[in-house]
Amino acid sequence: ESMMEGAARKKATRRAVNKQKVLILGTRSIGYRERHLMNDLRTLLPHAKTHSKLADDIKLGAVDQFADEKHCQSCIFFQSQKRADLTLWISKSPLGPGCRFAVRNIHTISELNFEGNSIRGARAVLSFDPAFDAAPHTRIVREVFTQVFSTPRGHRQSKPFVDHVFLFTLLDDKIWFRNYQMVPQEDKKFQVMEIGPRFVLDLAAIYDASFRGQLLYHNPAVDKASSEAYQERYNMERLAEEEAAMQAASNNLRRGAGMGENESEEEDSDESSE
């Protein structure tokens, strides 16, 4: 009986696998670079699930419903509207917390074209800057990132080894993301080679629930910078449209003046022939 009980315990242990999954999706209006970044994250996270593009006016609560349908416990949501900065939501669904970021300085894997490489499906080591311990809101971010970006051990889509490291650095109140390959060396040491992608996250807000709820942290400077950048791009587009309209009107005037000169020349030639 003891042998049977031991076999049963081993079988139960094998079945007790962490089945945490993350849903990665975005809205239709995100640009090509943002789409490539989203695909890079899907490739780097073996426990990621995908979803079709969402409408720009989608209610954020619907994202939790999609995560529930896909049996996902976390969400990475790329949200963008016309002429607006890219917003990245990283949250635990549906109970939270949820973090909202403005994304800066995006560089995809194909764009960087580094020599480093990692095997598809390999798990990653997460390395956090000690500065994350300095404030309560950064400790919340670190815990959310740990649960979202950590591939569960034994996940069916993952390989049984680790060959790269995700580095999260806190500098100038921004989170800098890097991804490095771990190359084994002598004496059980490793050399790191950057793979990509690269991006910078500017924390705007933290909510106690996923995509909503009580505001635990808010940085109005991030929203103000995004609003100013939006207004600047809007003004530049309006100026470009006005210049294009003035150029078209000028071309029409020149074309009309040229036609008038041709008609007067034809009349002069007719009078001279008579």
Side-chain angles (χ1 to χ4, degrees):
E1 292 181 0
S2 61
M3 293 180 61
M4 293 179 63
E5 290 176 357
R9 281 197 300 270
K10 290 182 180 179
K11 188 175 182 180
T13 303
R14 286 197 299 268
R15 289 182 176 178
V17 177
N18 187 349
K19 296 184 178 180
Q20 296 285 323
K21 294 184 286 291
V22 55
L23 180 64
I24 302 180
L25 69 170
T27 56
R28 295 184 180 276
S29 61
I30 62 175
Y32 73 94
R33 182 170 291 175
E34 289 81 3
R35 286 196 301 271
H36 287 188
L37 175 61
M38 185 169 59
N39 292 332
D40 287 345
L41 292 180
R42 287 171 176 171
T43 303
L44 293 173
L45 302 178
H47 60 299
K49 290 284 188 177
T50 62
H51 195 279
S52 58
K53 298 176 183 177
L54 303 181
D56 294 339
D57 57 350
I58 188 74
K59 293 183 178 180
L60 294 175
V63 181
D64 285 330
Q65 298 179 5
F66 298 140
D68 183 64
E69 293 173 359
K70 295 281 187 176
H71 305 287
C72 294
Q73 294 75 29
S74 306
C75 288
I76 299 178
F77 179 46
F78 291 80
Q79 184 186 28
S80 179
Q81 297 178 353
K82 187 177 181 182
R83 294 187 297 267
D85 283 340
L86 175 67
T87 299
L88 180 65
W89 291 84
I90 301 179
S91 67
K92 297 294 296 179
S93 177
L95 300 179
C99 305
R100 176 168 60 87
F101 303 91
V103 188
R104 324 282 190 199
N105 303 336
I106 297 175
H107 300 282
T108 63
I109 294 178
S110 58
E111 180 183 2
L112 294 171
N113 197 23
F114 285 134
E115 294 182 359
N117 193 10
S118 65
I119 299 177
R120 187 184 183 97
R123 298 168 61 230
V125 174
L126 271 60
S127 176
F128 289 92
D129 191 330
F132 277 90
D133 292 327
H137 66 277
T138 53
R139 289 197 292 269
I140 293 175
V141 171
R142 183 186 61 184
E143 183 60 31
V144 171
F145 281 11
T146 301
Q147 297 188 30
V148 171
F149 288 94
S150 295
T151 300
R153 185 173 184 178
H155 192 275
R156 63 176 184 172
Q157 298 294 337
S158 66
K159 299 293 189 298
F161 48 84
V162 175
D163 72 345
H164 60 288
V165 55
F166 294 156
L167 176 63
F168 299 93
T169 304
L170 194 59
L171 181 64
D172 297 332
D173 293 329
K174 297 178 177 59
I175 301 172
W176 302 67
F177 175 87
R178 297 291 186 269
N179 178 32
Y180 295 94
Q181 178 188 3
M182 300 168 59
V183 182
Q185 302 292 319
E186 298 179 356
D187 300 329
K188 296 183 179 180
K189 295 182 179 180
F190 290 92
Q191 179 184 1
V192 293
M193 299 176 61
E194 188 171 0
I195 304 172
R198 290 178 174 181
F199 55 89
V200 179
L201 300 178
D202 205 354
L203 180 61
I206 301 177
Y207 301 89
D208 67 344
S210 179
F211 302 105
R212 60 191 181 277
Q214 183 180 355
L215 197 63
L216 302 179
Y217 171 82
H218 182 226
N219 186 357
V222 176
D223 293 331
K224 181 179 179 181
S226 299
S227 177
E228 291 176 352
Y230 162 78
Q231 190 63 41
E232 183 179 357
R233 283 194 297 272
Y234 178 76
N235 294 337
M236 291 178 63
E237 290 181 3
R238 288 291 303 272
L239 181 61
E241 292 175 357
E242 292 176 359
E243 290 179 351
M246 292 177 62
Q247 185 65 33
S250 177
N251 293 337
N252 291 334
L253 289 174
R254 292 196 190 99
R255 195 177 298 112
M259 293 178 61
E261 292 178 357
N262 293 335
E263 291 178 356
S264 61
E265 291 178 357
E266 291 178 357
E267 291 178 358
D268 294 339
S269 62
D270 293 339
E271 291 176 357
S272 61
S273 61
E274 290 177 357

